[in-house]
Amino acid sequence: MSDKIKIRRILTEAFSQGRTEVLDELMTEDFVNHNAAPGMDTGRDGVKAVIRVERQGFPDLKVEIIRDFEDGEFVIQHVRLTGTHTGTVFGVEPTGRTISWNEMHIAKVRDGRVSDHWACNDLHVLLTQLGRMTPPDTSAFRQAAAGA
């Protein structure tokens, strides 16, 4: 089984199903999440905490893998997360809205397990949909596109 196929289980089983125990199988003992929030555990337990928080806010959270590929010892994934906001998350009471945002993940694989992780996400899109952030003024882009 390719590393890409194996690593998909982090998204499909741990995030989409809440089965955090699969992280013990799929991540090395010395795993490091290089994008952990300040003060957050950078190891597997920190990722488990992220899953618990996200699934508390979005119990039906699903991760769709838009594309993924391998490059040597790295697996790169572009994903879309979608869930119904029925629980408190990031200090926001439930809105009942379906929320969706994108993420990019880079996982370094060692001996068939993830040892390091880096990510970029549409956190501003998520926070805007939750009402925690005001959408930015994009009128300058529209004016530039119109040739103004």
Side-chain angles (χ1 to χ4, degrees), residues 39-139:
M40 187 176 161
D41 183 335
T42 60
R44 289 188 300 210
D45 287 340
V47 177
K48 290 176 183 181
V50 167
I51 292 168
R52 284 192 291 275
V53 165
E54 288 182 353
R55 293 194 60 80
Q56 174 183 308
F58 310 101
D60 62 347
L61 183 70
K62 293 293 178 226
V63 181
E64 171 194 1
I65 299 169
I66 297 170
R67 66 186 56 84
D68 59 351
F69 56 94
E70 293 181 60
D71 183 13
E73 61 189 349
F74 295 93
V75 173
I76 298 92
Q77 300 167 316
H78 175 202
V79 302
R80 179 176 299 113
L81 293 87
T82 304
T84 309
H85 182 214
T86 58
T88 301
V89 66
F90 306 123
V92 179
E93 295 296 320
T95 63
R97 290 187 220 135
T98 298
I99 307 292
S100 182
W101 69 98
N102 290 306
E103 296 180 348
M104 298 290 295
H105 297 275
I106 300 172
K108 184 177 181 181
V109 180
R110 183 177 73 226
D111 299 325
R113 298 168 76 194
V114 176
S115 64
D116 294 84
H117 171 263
W118 297 265
C120 293
N121 59 49
D122 287 342
L123 191 57
H124 65 286
V125 170
L126 170 62
L127 294 175
T128 299
Q129 291 177 74
L130 290 173
R132 291 279 293 178
M133 187 173 166
T134 304
D137 177 4
T138 59
S139 60

